[in-house]
Amino acid sequence: MKTLVMHPASTSHHQLDAAALAAAGIGAGTVRISVGIEHVEDLWADLEQALEQAA
């Protein structure tokens, strides 16, 4: 199983309007991370690299 990073507002909850997203606690910047079984150091390195690119 691999780690999955997704943006709920544009994927799993795309059918909801802004009010429904807010009621569900999903903001425009909400990101969901489902952690898989990769080595923890690999996960940290990948996450750090992604956050650096997003900044």
Side-chain angles (χ1 to χ4, degrees), residues 4-51:
L4 174 68
V5 178
M6 62 184 283
H7 180 248
S10 63
T11 57
S12 61
H13 292 72
H14 72 276
Q15 74 281 3
L16 302 180
D17 62 20
L21 287 170
I26 300 170
T30 300
V31 176
R32 177 180 179 197
I33 302 175
S34 298
V35 178
I37 58 173
E38 296 93 348
H39 189 276
V40 67
E41 295 302 324
D42 292 336
L43 291 171
W44 280 122
D46 289 346
L47 186 56
E48 182 178 29
Q49 178 265 337
L51 290 173

